[in-house]
Amino acid sequence: MKICGTVIAILYAVLMLFAVIKNKSKNISSALIAIGGLFILAYALLNMIWCKNLIIILIISMILISVGTLINGIKQNNIHIHHHMIRLIVESIIIAICWIGT
């Protein structure tokens, strides 16, 4: 379960970082998403090297990504509540899988 959670978290981080790179927009929302993605990668690295589950890093990174996407939606005057609810559910599942894998 630990490996599964780490792999899913890494895939999610890569997806978020790819979205930021593809967008090429330099604003606060992109910075929050990128920092959150890098925090997820740091969580995965620390989880593999130290064998300690620092779930707080994962939670903070998910919050940063969610806030970044919400700010992005507000800036574009196009907030999709369903999209953010699905993102919240997916992020919660990733956190739960990583937490169970301790």
Side-chain angles (χ1 to χ4, degrees):
M1 197 62 125
K2 178 179 178 179
I3 295 171
C4 179
T6 303
V7 169
I8 292 171
I10 290 171
L11 290 174
Y12 187 72
V14 169
L15 179 67
M16 292 297 106
L17 291 172
F18 178 73
V20 169
I21 292 169
K22 183 180 175 191
N23 191 8
K24 295 181 183 176
S25 176
K26 293 182 173 44
N27 53 27
I28 190 70
S29 62
S30 295
L32 288 173
I33 295 169
I35 291 168
L38 292 174
F39 274 12
I40 293 173
L41 294 176
Y43 162 80
L45 185 66
L46 291 172
N47 195 17
M48 289 186 291
I49 292 174
W50 281 358
C51 296
K52 290 184 180 179
N53 197 356
L54 303 172
I55 200 77
I56 191 71
I57 295 173
L58 187 61
I59 293 170
I60 290 170
S61 64
M62 296 297 185
I63 290 170
L64 287 171
I65 290 172
S66 293
V67 169
T69 57
L70 188 60
I71 291 172
N72 194 22
I74 291 170
K75 282 185 176 183
Q76 295 176 359
N77 291 328
N78 194 9
I79 300 173
H80 297 286
I81 299 298
H82 294 261
H83 173 79
H84 293 288
M85 293 303 293
I86 291 169
R87 179 182 299 279
L88 177 67
I89 292 168
V90 168
E91 290 173 346
S92 299
I93 291 170
I94 292 171
I95 291 170
I97 291 171
C98 290
W99 182 65
I100 290 170
T102 59

